[in-house]
Amino acid sequence: MNAKVLIIEDEKELGELVQLFLEKDGISSVLCSTAEEGLDLLKNNSFDLIILDINLPGMDGFEFLQIFGKRSTTGVLILSAREADEDVVLGLGLGADEFVTKPFAPKVLVARVRALLRRLKTPGESSTGISFGKYVLHPEGYALFKEGERIVLSTKEFDVLRFLVMHPGKVFMSSEIYSAVWNQAYGDITSVAVYIQRLRKKIERDPSNPEFILTIRGKGYLFNKDGG
Ligand code: CA
């Protein structure tokens, strides 16, 4: 894969480790230690993907994203020490494509980078989307659009939504959604309710009175493609 990655990470050893693992996988990268340097590099170079640390000296990752803005052709993978940062980034609509929480296994990070690069290369327009209400979901491109505008979803949020959208009109128990999306038979199935709640906040007009992702009391959830 002929891709170029910009790594913005102030922990030198960690940055170099990531760089080394990407290199082993044939992905070339440039490492810098501040967001300011990163913005400078972006002025004269194009990158396919940015691996961005949140906690940086000077300008932090959030501020970087605000300045960098949403550029659909450049992917952003956030490295963060706190899971709560994901909510901040998504809540502010800062346009990140992927989150990896520290500490992480370098192999896992490289796999996420590869998956993201593939996703970015998938032309969303040419793949067939699935419509519901004012939305179009592109299962391969990992993208959801509302009247042409991209709705930012985390990978897992997208996975849950995709599962529901692809099985409209059918009732699923939390445990069924869990085993299908998380690929595990057992685990914390309460996560399903958490993700459904997040999705409702993003796609429902009134999240407390959903029209797409319906709760069927005592049975589970049903996706109503004619809602909205
Ligand atoms: Ca840091």
Side-chain angles (χ1 to χ4, degrees):
M1 196 179 290
N2 197 5
K4 215 174 151 197
V5 174
L6 174 64
I7 306 168
I8 308 178
E9 168 62 71
D10 63 315
E11 287 163 63
K12 195 161 174 276
E13 274 177 29
L14 180 63
E16 285 173 354
L17 183 73
V18 170
Q19 200 165 27
L20 187 74
F21 268 82
L22 289 177
E23 203 174 298
K24 269 197 204 165
D25 223 50
I27 300 170
S28 63
S29 61
V30 176
L31 173 64
C32 67
S33 57
T34 65
E36 288 85 346
E37 272 177 80
L39 287 171
D40 254 3
L41 282 163
L42 283 158
K43 273 183 203 153
N44 302 313
N45 302 277
S46 68
F47 293 95
D48 301 293
L49 181 83
I50 301 169
I51 297 178
L52 176 68
D53 182 24
I54 288 292
N55 200 355
L56 293 162
M59 187 189 291
D60 69 14
F62 298 132
E63 292 169 287
F64 170 88
L65 281 176
Q66 265 160 341
I67 294 169
F68 178 66
K70 281 187 192 178
R71 297 184 202 177
S72 57
T73 51
T74 309
V76 178
L77 182 148
I78 294 205
L79 282 184
S80 160
R82 301 184 311 146
E83 256 171 38
D85 287 343
E86 177 169 351
D87 297 327
V88 177
V89 169
L90 293 173
L92 296 175
L94 289 176
D97 301 283
E98 185 67 89
F99 292 83
V100 173
T101 312
K102 292 178 184 177
F104 55 85
K107 269 189 185 167
V108 170
L109 179 69
V110 173
R112 297 279 192 93
V113 166
R114 278 213 166 274
L116 183 50
L117 287 170
R118 266 200 307 274
R119 253 154 67 190
L120 295 164
K121 284 206 190 317
T122 310
E125 303 82 59
S126 67
S127 69
T128 337
I130 305 169
S131 302
F132 60 95
K134 288 173 177 163
Y135 296 90
V136 181
L137 179 128
H138 293 274
E140 302 307 320
Y142 261 83
L144 176 70
F145 294 93
K146 183 184 187 184
E147 295 173 316
E149 197 172 317
R150 189 167 180 160
I151 310 289
V152 182
L153 298 177
S154 72
T155 308
K156 202 55 96 188
E157 287 171 351
F158 190 89
D159 287 341
V160 172
L161 182 62
R162 177 174 54 186
F163 175 77
L164 292 170
V165 168
M166 291 179 101
H167 302 89
K170 223 181 139 192
V171 182
F172 290 98
M173 293 186 294
S174 287
S175 58
E176 291 175 304
I177 297 173
Y178 188 85
S179 58
V181 173
W182 274 257
N183 270 318
Q184 293 165 7
Y186 303 99
D188 184 12
I189 65 162
T190 57
S191 326
V192 173
V194 173
Y195 278 92
I196 299 263
Q197 218 169 356
R198 287 194 196 174
L199 283 169
R200 280 176 174 159
K201 277 190 195 151
K202 290 183 179 184
I203 66 167
E204 302 283 3
R205 258 194 301 229
D206 175 8
S208 58
N209 189 17
E211 297 166 83
F212 292 113
I213 307 176
L214 312 182
T215 299
I216 309 297
R217 201 165 282 281
K219 291 201 157 52
Y221 300 101
L222 176 145
F223 187 77
N224 170 31
K225 67 177 168 52
D226 301 318

